Amino acid sequence: MNDLDHLRRLDPAAGPVPQGGRTELLAALSTTDTPPRRGRKRLVAVLTGGFVATAAGGSIAYAVLSGQPEQTALGIQCAVTTTQSEFDRYHELSASMTNITGDPVADCAAEYARLNGRAPSLLGYSSGTSSIFVIPSTWTAPSDWRPLPTTFRVDAKRLELAQRLDDLVAGPPSTCMSHDTAEERIISYESELGLTGWATKRLPTSDADGSTSCAYALVDDNGSNTVLIGAHQYEKGQATPGTPDLAHLIAELRTQISQRCLSLEDAQHAVRQALGHAGVNLKDAKLPAALDPSARCTRVVLVPAGLTVIVLRGPQTAAP
Amino acid sequence: MTANSDFEDLFEAHYDDLLRFALRRVREPADAADVVAETWAVAWRRRDSMPSGDERRLWLFGVARRVLANQARGRLRRSLLADRLREELATRAQLPVEHSPHVEQALAVLSRADRDLLVMLAWDGLQPEDVAKVLGCSPGTARVRIHRARRRFRAALDSVGFHTTYTPVIRDARHPAQETS
């Protein structure tokens, strides 16, 4: 036997494959009112962000919505490496977005500048699948990428909703939530963000009533205003937020920020303290924070993203 | 392709292959449902600019690879389109898969890129020139990368006590996935 013969015997997909959903998928595609390459007025995208706080597994993506005529479910990922070879090799694409203006090129430029100094000229591309990439204009884009229109915008509220669904401080994965509790939390988020006309849909699970598993939630990436609720495979009690250090950090952010009413500046101070207790010294580094004058208190979101993302949004002055 | 019937033909011809392609590359079988749904959604949107003939299958694999890469970079994305398939994949009994801890161990020490190349050859039944099309590189580059990946795999197999022969992959019109022996 040669090397490939050894491998061939281990094929996990040899033999017949399931046919469930096949007909429905084709029917759904064929009835989609989407002319090829043009058409739908909304775009769902994924925008990655990250902030080095402490080690944690996983990754982050935010679902966002565009009002532009470019269609398709896409992702937006900022190149923050200084050379294309690093980008190609590591796919290290993003760091935290200190603010989302809705213009991914401008936001990525701000992020690049925060991390590397002055940003070069950047261009956004559709990768043709589920990602938009924002890269320096001097880099060579793969031949199947298409430049994004400069008018491309994202919907920050949809983005924040998706981010909060991943939040380990207060979101569905912050504890082992039942499906009912997760749904209540989702509805409260939508209300806070002013998102109207949204629905929730429970994904099929063997734990029909969600009583023995922990819920997770995702914004549907097909562009509908739907949050999908599913069940983690693990049993109750097995869901733990990474390392003990991370668990401690999360607990401190919960008690010091989520359960209090702080201004943005005070919340930044609280994050610094919590990170210090976790052994992360940020010195004078600027924390990802967005001013939200309409908020009474600052919200904190922590998402494990390979790096850990911590984002604050809040008012200059708290109004408990 | 312009007519829906052409797309349906494409769908019927390659649905199983694409699902297998996804199943070979996801940790949880149910995750393949979203890969399949998203890949077909891309195909639907791009049905007017898709290559023709046999190239379509490789083009679909190329799209699926990028969908998988995006999944790996971001969080697992879920689509309502994939509900039914996800449910079936999540609940079906595991297919009987042969296990060989030593081979699995040898595979595990390889880089993701090397594993990807080997899986395309051994499981997807692609030829080096097909691999080049899926990866979007020249056939020469693909051959070099495949050669190096196989060399590293054989070394890894040797290190766990498996001694193998080397036979280059060549195209055989009757049995496209076969090799010379």
Side-chain angles (χ1 to χ4, degrees), chain A residues 3-65:
Chain A
D3 51 335
L4 295 181
D5 293 330
H6 284 295
L7 189 54
R8 205 166 276 129
R9 292 162 51 198
L10 307 184
D11 184 356
V17 292
Q19 299 297 312
R22 176 179 178 143
T23 307
E24 291 88 342
L25 175 59
L26 179 59
L29 290 169
S30 302
T31 55
T32 302
D33 184 19
T34 309
R37 302 174 70 93
R38 289 172 183 273
R40 288 191 329 205
K41 291 188 176 177
R42 296 187 306 185
L43 176 147
V44 180
V46 173
L47 175 61
T48 55
F51 175 70
V52 183
T54 182
S59 58
I60 181 177
Y62 315 129
V64 292
L65 186 70

Side-chain angles (χ1 to χ4, degrees), chain A residues 37 144, chain B residues 1-2 6-7 10 14 42-43 46-63 66 133-134:
Chain A
R37 302 174 70 93
D144 60 342
Chain B
M1 294 211 330
T2 54
D6 289 339
F7 184 81
L10 175 79
H14 298 303
V42 172
R46 294 203 162 190
R47 60 195 182 277
D48 274 359
S49 57
M50 201 180 289
S52 56
D54 292 343
E55 301 280 301
R56 290 178 189 171
R57 175 170 171 262
L58 303 177
W59 182 87
L60 286 167
F61 287 173
V63 172
R66 289 193 286 275
K133 286 170 185 164
V134 173

Side-chain angles (χ1 to χ4, degrees), chain A residues 53-91:
Chain A
T54 182
S59 58
I60 181 177
Y62 315 129
V64 292
L65 186 70
S66 163
Q68 296 307 310
E70 281 288 315
Q71 77 289 7
T72 79
L74 301 169
I76 301 173
Q77 305 199 38
C78 306
V80 294
T81 57
T82 53
T83 65
Q84 183 162 8
S85 61
E86 286 178 292
F87 176 83
D88 289 342
R89 183 174 174 190
Y90 298 110
H91 298 292

